[in-house]
Amino acid sequence: MGVIEVRNLHKSYGRTKALNGISFELREGEVFALLGPNGAGKTTTIFIILGLLQADEGDVFVDGEKVSPGKYEYRKKIGAVLEENGIYERLKVRESLQFWGEIYGLSNQEIRRRIEELSEELGIDFLEKRGSELSRGMRQKGSLARALLPHPPILILDEPTDGLDVPARETFKKIVRKERENGKSILYSTHIMAEVEEIADRIAIIHKGNIVTSGTLQELQEKYGEKKLEKIFIRAIGYEL
Ligand code: ATP
């Protein structure tokens, strides 16, 4: 059984059907990419896994435990990077991280140690700046540091490299590889193909609320008879050139 199992999720917003029976699993120690165009249903899926949205139908299991409203114990196992990233405008980055460390129940000493460690690892040299003074990439790094503070075994990242420049993307890839080596299981969503080719162990292509195909890059290459993920993607979503 995977560390996260997503079974047959359905979700509508009014008349918009966002998810139409999404199922997949995140296996222990892997990097799993949810790859899909704008509006495919990636964020909706991630929000349901995190308990921030309720599905109309279907189940999510984390470490075999069914996620249901009011059950938040499982969330301690997951570090999440979402668009609303917990780096506060008026606080210095250090203060935002301290705040989250306390929320996560770490001791002051542990918080200080983790902040130093993570700033070094992630190249955060703006601990004394306020959230309002940060660029997008800086915020993303800050948000990633927040998610990693309590050493969660699972990471969920929603379009973490959106808007980042090339060096920041390289840093992100390095971090993902390193966290995977540390034994973390990582689920992340993106629409950037090159990155997926480089760091994902398995890929699910999501389109209009359905997973249209999934597997390792090699499996998808064999299935579609194409080498480049971009070509596979276009074929999988049935896009007519
Ligand atoms: P993107 O790559 O653009 O972030 P996504 O794959 O994360 O897209 P979702 O945000 O999950 O896609 O959206 C899936 C569908 O649900 C889209 O059709 C979107 O318009 C719709 N949707 C998402 N959030 C809402 C909402 N709060 N109210 C109404 N419709 C919504």
Side-chain angles (χ1 to χ4, degrees), residues 54-122:
Q54 210 177 336
D56 299 334
E57 206 186 311
D59 292 307
V60 174
F61 296 83
V62 175
D63 271 345
E65 195 185 324
K66 189 167 153 177
V67 169
S68 55
K71 259 172 85 179
Y72 295 112
E73 205 43 33
Y74 81 99
R75 283 285 283 108
K76 289 192 184 151
K77 298 177 184 167
I78 305 177
V81 177
L82 309 173
E83 212 176 312
E84 278 111 300
N85 54 22
I87 297 299
Y88 298 103
E89 300 276 298
R90 294 191 194 182
L91 297 185
K92 291 180 179 169
V93 173
R94 184 190 294 284
E95 292 167 339
S96 283
L97 294 176
Q98 255 156 2
F99 167 77
W100 281 104
E102 284 166 28
I103 297 272
Y104 294 139
L106 307 182
S107 69
N108 282 338
Q109 197 190 359
E110 175 72 355
I111 294 172
R112 273 199 300 276
R113 199 175 60 76
R114 284 299 280 155
I115 292 178
E116 293 318 315
E117 252 172 35
L118 288 164
S119 327
E120 173 82 17
E121 264 176 43
L122 307 183

Side-chain angles (χ1 to χ4, degrees), residues 13 16-18 36-45 158-159 191:
Y13 299 98
T16 307
K17 182 100 188 156
N38 294 133
K42 304 183 291 296
T43 302
T44 303
T45 304
D158 192 17
E159 307 213 25
H191 48 82

Side-chain angles (χ1 to χ4, degrees), residues 8-19:
N8 193 32
L9 291 185
H10 287 259
K11 174 75 187 172
S12 294
Y13 299 98
R15 268 184 286 163
T16 307
K17 182 100 188 156
L19 303 185

